[in-house]
Amino acid sequence: MKNAKGTLVKQLETNTEKTKGKQTVLWDVSKIANGNYTFVITAEDLAKNKSTKTHAFTLLKTNIGKVSGTDVLIRQNASTNSPSIGKLQIDNTVLILNNSGAWYYVQYGKKKGYVYAKYINIIR
C-alpha cells in the first residue's frame, strides 16, 4: 500500500499462494495517519502471467469528543472572526472529523463546523 506521495507504507502480504476466488486481507489502521492511499495488487499465475490492479481510497478516522464548556460556539471556519452557526453545551458529544491547528472540525447532529479544540475532550 502506498501513500499519496507514492511511498510504500505497508506490505500486507508477499509471496503467498492463494486459491482461486475472492481473498481478504485485514489491515490495522490504528497507527496510520488520515490521508490518501493506493492499494496495488499484483498476481502471477503458474505460467508467470502477471496482472496488477490498483485501488485508491481515502482513510478518514474519526474521534468522539465531549464538550467541556457552556455556550461553546460552532463556527463556519477555524477562526474567532468566523460567523457562528450554533452553540454546544457541556457534555454534548461531537464527532471529530478533522483538526486544523487549534481547531476541530466537528459534526453535532446535522451541523458541521469548527470548535476551538480546548473545549473538546477526546473520549474515543
Side-chain angles (χ1 to χ4, degrees):
M1 185 183 61
K2 297 179 180 180
N3 65 15
K5 295 179 183 177
T7 304
L8 183 68
V9 293
K10 179 74 175 175
Q11 187 161 332
L12 299 177
E13 289 188 4
T14 185
N15 297 324
T16 58
E17 190 172 313
K18 298 291 182 183
T19 59
K20 181 179 173 183
K22 183 178 179 178
Q23 305 295 320
T24 302
V25 175
L26 299 178
W27 173 44
D28 178 8
V29 297
S30 62
K31 295 180 181 167
I32 302 293
N34 288 343
N36 297 314
Y37 295 89
T38 303
F39 280 112
V40 179
I41 301 167
T42 302
E44 183 176 307
D45 65 17
L46 295 174
K48 303 291 184 193
N49 297 312
K50 281 189 179 182
S51 175
T52 300
K53 301 288 183 186
T54 60
H55 176 74
F57 73 99
T58 300
L59 177 63
L60 181 59
K61 299 181 286 187
T62 55
N63 291 314
I64 305 294
K66 254 192 193 195
V67 178
S68 63
T70 304
D71 294 331
V72 175
L73 299 177
I74 302 175
R75 298 187 179 271
Q76 285 180 351
N77 297 299
S79 166
T80 55
N81 296 326
S82 178
S84 167
I85 59 171
K87 286 185 183 179
L88 298 168
Q89 300 303 321
I90 196 162
D91 289 334
N92 284 156
T93 301
V94 296
L95 186 62
I96 301 169
L97 303 173
N98 207 346
N99 65 339
S100 177
W103 295 81
Y104 287 133
Y105 183 61
V106 303
Q107 180 175 343
Y108 180 71
K110 294 185 178 186
K111 290 185 180 182
K112 290 182 183 178
Y114 291 88
V115 175
Y116 199 65
K118 80 175 191 175
Y119 296 113
I120 304 290
N121 294 320
I122 295 176
I123 58 174
R124 179 176 62 93

